[in-house]
Amino acid sequence: MPVLKADFAACQGYANCVDAAPTVYDIDDDGIVVLLRETITDEERPRIEEAARSCPVSALTIEDE
Amino acid sequence: MSRTVVVIGSSIGGVRTAQALRSEGFDGRVVLVGEESAMPYDKPPLSKQVLAGQWTPDRTELLSAEAAQRERIELRLGVAATRLDIAAKQVHLADGTRIDYDNAVIATGASARPSPWRPGSGVHVVRSLDDSLALRADLLRDGPVVVVGGGFIGAEAAATARGLGHEVTVVDPMPTPIGRVVGPEIGQYFTELHHRHGVTTRFGTGVEGIEGTAGDLRVRLTDGTELAAATVVVGIGAVPNDEWLADSGLPIENGVMCDEFCRALDAHDVFAIGDVARWYHPGHREYVRVEHWTNAVEQGVCAAHNIARPDDLRSYRPVEYVWSDQYDWKVQIVGRPTRGTRHEVVGGLTGVKPRAAVLYTDEDGHLLGVVTVNWPKALVQCRRLVTDHASFDEALERVTTLDASSPPRPPRPAVPAAPEALPAAPAAGGDHG
């Protein structure tokens, strides 16, 4: 099952991920990304992949585990 | 039979389009053509981390050779596209080869508007990696820096040069240059931001001429005064890279004219995305061209979807979004603030690391756009509110509630201060051309 990963130190709060995939990404009061889920389904992967690639500092990845 | 998509342009828009074609299930051949021979790289760090020397250029890489291979993206780098033959459905390359396509995606971006002033040496623009490295080489020398253009790229370059310890002056004929984006009243706070960090502004004054050579330049202003400079940075906008399409038969008007599905008018197998595209925005009911990083990515995804799924065409109607990190301000702008007739500020815009959201409305009482400073959480909420066509009163109430529920805390700096950087002036950056 695909697993969501985030580089919290790299995150700059640009928030494109939250806009593109609000069901899996959010942002906290300090402007740092919050992962709302640990895993996603293969079916929703393309949409989440595109959201992850909209991060200007490449802080988001999806891994197979 | 397998289809071929040729993507022309290897910056953020082109790379993300090629990748999105795979995410959208396109199984044919994907060719990515790029004029520069370097592996595809990202541009926002070129006016901050790379220019400041905090990052080596390899950290800006957008697509590795391994990733390209994994996603079956054929790279044709170091060779410019010279012509698009829409009748024969071929892209002509500078080395004489021609690539047949079923769909072409034009993603050639924009170039820095060239400096009209050409002294012997020492005048720079910031757009490509080579531009950034050449400017950095000159900034390693002592001496004052004059930045011509007080827009985002000028402000970013000024903040970075200041961070490297230079005396910096920003010149712009507009009285409040950022006012073009946020309105003159809020624009004043951006001018004060420069001053707080020890940068001089000469706004409302134009440049008459620049003479001399690198290390010994004289910038003559329209008010008769003269500024001495070791290095000059010119940031006066960008022009779309559409000249190679002049004889293609595609309609070109300051960008490639496209319909709401990102398809070129009169040539529906050709798409254009990013800085080079002028498309019909069905929400705004007008043709627009947008030079923002996020737009290049989102438009690339939309074009990729429409190529992979022609039975399920999606119209492209984004809410504009752009960011800029200047000094200790993380500025985020959503929607079209300058279309507003009045605004309200929640929070404050003065002092060290302030936190604020400025909401803009029109006579009809709609929320048209928002500028946030050091407040990503409010940005997220406002981006949704603009997308949902919320009323100004509702938006104002929500942001005011958010302000009360989460007391301001100093955010982390956008860029860790370099050892050589002045504490008061960390490097700036953004996603503007």
Side-chain angles (χ1 to χ4, degrees):
Chain A
M1 197 169 242
V3 177
L4 298 177
K5 302 276 181 184
D7 181 344
F8 299 101
C11 177
Q12 294 292 336
Y14 295 128
N16 279 340
C17 58
V18 188
D19 198 59
T23 56
V24 299
Y25 299 116
D26 198 1
I27 201 161
D28 68 16
D29 287 341
D30 293 329
I32 306 300
V33 66
V34 176
L35 300 179
L36 300 176
R37 284 156 55 188
E38 286 176 10
T39 59
I40 56 171
T41 63
D42 285 319
E43 199 180 19
E44 59 190 345
R45 182 172 185 149
R47 187 176 59 86
I48 312 293
E49 227 167 41
E50 284 166 4
R53 280 200 297 256
S54 73
C55 174
V57 291
S58 304
L60 304 173
T61 46
I62 299 167
E63 292 174 12
D64 293 294
E65 281 185 17
Chain B
M1 204 180 91
S2 174
R3 287 197 289 158
T4 297
V5 178
V6 179
V7 180
I8 306 113
S10 62
S11 197
I12 182 68
V15 169
R16 291 292 185 258
T17 302
Q19 293 175 314
L21 281 165
R22 294 303 181 213
S23 302
E24 295 287 339
F26 180 77
D27 200 37
R29 186 177 173 220
V30 176
V31 184
L32 183 66
V33 176
E35 180 172 14
E36 292 177 79
S37 52
M39 285 303 285
Y41 61 87
D42 204 16
K43 291 195 168 88
L46 299 181
S47 56
K48 49 179 179 178
Q49 295 97 333
V50 172
L51 187 58
Q54 295 165 350
W55 285 15
T56 52
D58 58 326
R59 273 188 74 176
T60 64
E61 190 175 274
L62 279 175
L63 182 72
S64 65
E66 300 75 57
Q69 195 172 25
R70 195 170 55 240
E71 300 183 68
R72 293 182 294 124
I73 299 169
E74 285 177 45
L75 298 176
R76 291 295 302 272
L77 302 176
V79 56
T82 52
R83 192 160 179 262
L84 190 70
D85 185 338
I86 58 175
K89 301 183 75 160
Q90 284 184 328
V91 181
H92 296 205
L93 303 183
D95 63 3
T97 56
R98 297 174 180 196
I99 312 176
D100 295 314
Y101 66 78
D102 294 285
N103 290 107
V105 181
I106 299 164
T108 40
S111 295
R113 189 181 299 281
S115 169
W117 313 283
R118 306 284 181 91
S121 56
V123 173
H124 297 264
V125 295
V126 192
R127 186 76 194 182
S128 68
L129 181 56
D130 286 347
D131 292 339
S132 177
L133 296 176
L135 173 57
R136 172 158 175 79
D138 274 8
L139 289 180
L140 290 175
R141 274 194 301 227
D142 289 338
V145 175
V146 171
V147 177
V148 183
F152 282 117
I153 197 78
E156 293 158 9
T160 303
R162 183 72 191 126
L164 292 170
H166 294 279
E167 187 186 302
V168 180
T169 305
V170 186
V171 182
D172 195 293
M174 301 271 292
T176 46
I178 301 282
R180 280 180 290 236
V181 187
V182 301
E185 209 175 311
I186 297 299
Q188 285 290 347
Y189 292 100
F190 285 79
T191 304
E192 287 167 20
L193 179 65
H194 282 300
H195 299 165
R196 249 198 323 279
H197 292 273
V199 167
T200 305
T201 55
R202 297 292 295 273
F203 293 162
T205 311
V207 171
E208 195 105 317
I210 304 175
E211 281 94 37
T213 53
D216 181 25
L217 292 159
R218 290 167 306 285
V219 182
R220 279 186 294 112
L221 304 185
T222 49
D223 64 0
T225 58
E226 194 173 278
L227 300 170
T231 304
V232 173
V233 184
V234 176
I236 52 172
V239 285
N241 292 324
D242 56 21
E243 66 292 333
W244 68 282
L245 297 163
D247 68 351
S248 66
L250 294 177
I252 311 281
E253 279 174 46
N254 183 25
V256 181
M257 300 294 286
C258 294
D259 65 14
E260 66 183 283
F261 305 112
C262 312
R263 305 178 300 190
L265 299 182
D266 309 328
H268 286 176
D269 45 9
V270 176
F271 291 70
I273 61 116
D275 294 9
V276 76
R278 176 178 299 281
W279 86 100
Y280 183 77
H281 189 306
H284 297 331
R285 295 183 195 158
E286 61 180 334
Y287 286 87
V288 294
R289 190 173 71 80
V290 176
E291 293 177 354
H292 300 159
W293 190 98
T294 299
N295 181 65
V297 173
E298 292 180 345
Q299 204 166 16
V301 169
C302 184
H305 173 88
N306 290 344
I307 290 169
R309 300 284 309 280
D311 55 324
D312 176 35
L313 286 180
R314 199 180 277 170
S315 72
Y316 186 59
R317 48 171 71 217
V319 169
E320 299 77 3
Y321 169 58
V322 64
W323 76 85
S324 178
D325 296 309
Q326 298 177 33
Y327 307 99
D328 57 355
W329 280 21
K330 176 187 296 299
V331 182
Q332 294 172 294
I333 302 172
V334 65
R336 304 174 122 191
T338 49
R339 301 291 170 110
T341 49
R342 72 185 177 94
H343 62 259
E344 292 274 351
V345 181
V346 178
L349 285 164
T350 54
V352 177
K353 286 191 182 167
R355 186 183 82 170
V358 189
L359 285 70
Y360 297 74
T361 186
D362 58 8
E363 303 301 340
D364 297 336
H366 291 112
L367 179 69
L368 293 183
V370 179
V371 177
T372 64
V373 173
N374 294 333
W375 203 1
K377 185 87 179 170
L379 178 277
V380 167
Q381 184 152 103
C382 291
R383 201 167 166 182
R384 274 181 203 147
L385 289 164
V386 174
T387 306
D388 295 343
H389 304 289
S391 78
F392 179 69
D393 291 342
E394 184 202 344
L396 193 59
E397 189 188 321
R398 290 235 201 153
V399 176
T400 306
T401 306
L402 184 67
D403 189 37
S405 67
S406 65
R409 271 182 282 185
R412 301 179 312 167
V415 178
E420 74 270 28
L422 298 177
D431 61 339
H432 304 268

